[in-house]
Amino acid sequence: MARQFVVIEKVKYIQDYGLKLLAVKNSLEEAKELVEVLREFYTQNEHNQISFLYLEVDNNLLEERLTIFNRETE
């Protein structure tokens, strides 16, 4: 399976945080480029702190978890 990268938005509130999956990219360069564009065009506000990051997907772990999930839902 090819390497994949997820691009995530992280919103930090006063006592909590939220994560949102924004995209799945097939190359490190595509993921970095998207994060740079998001950082450049997003305006911060005073109520929360928003950051954008990319992470490499561990495909072996993902396949293992999906197998377990599919067995549990049968």
Side-chain angles (χ1 to χ4, degrees):
M1 187 178 281
R3 291 174 63 191
Q4 291 183 313
F5 299 85
V6 292
V7 177
I8 296 173
E9 174 189 73
K10 179 180 179 183
V11 181
K12 185 175 180 183
Y13 304 102
I14 293 172
Q15 296 181 351
D16 199 6
Y17 68 93
L19 299 173
K20 184 189 301 182
L21 175 64
L22 299 178
V24 177
K25 297 294 183 181
N26 291 321
S27 76
L28 178 59
E29 293 77 25
E30 289 177 357
K32 282 183 179 179
E33 184 178 319
L34 178 57
V35 166
E36 288 174 15
V37 168
L38 291 167
R39 287 176 180 165
E40 181 179 342
F41 288 103
Y42 187 81
T43 304
Q44 295 286 344
N45 66 45
E46 68 277 3
H47 300 294
N48 50 45
Q49 180 182 6
I50 296 180
S51 57
F52 301 98
L53 56 143
Y54 59 90
L55 304 167
E56 185 171 0
V57 174
D58 182 337
N59 288 321
N60 294 326
L61 180 59
L62 179 60
E63 287 179 12
E64 179 184 310
R65 302 291 178 172
L66 287 173
T67 301
I68 292 169
F69 176 75
N70 288 334
R71 274 192 246 137
E72 291 176 353
T73 57
E74 291 177 351

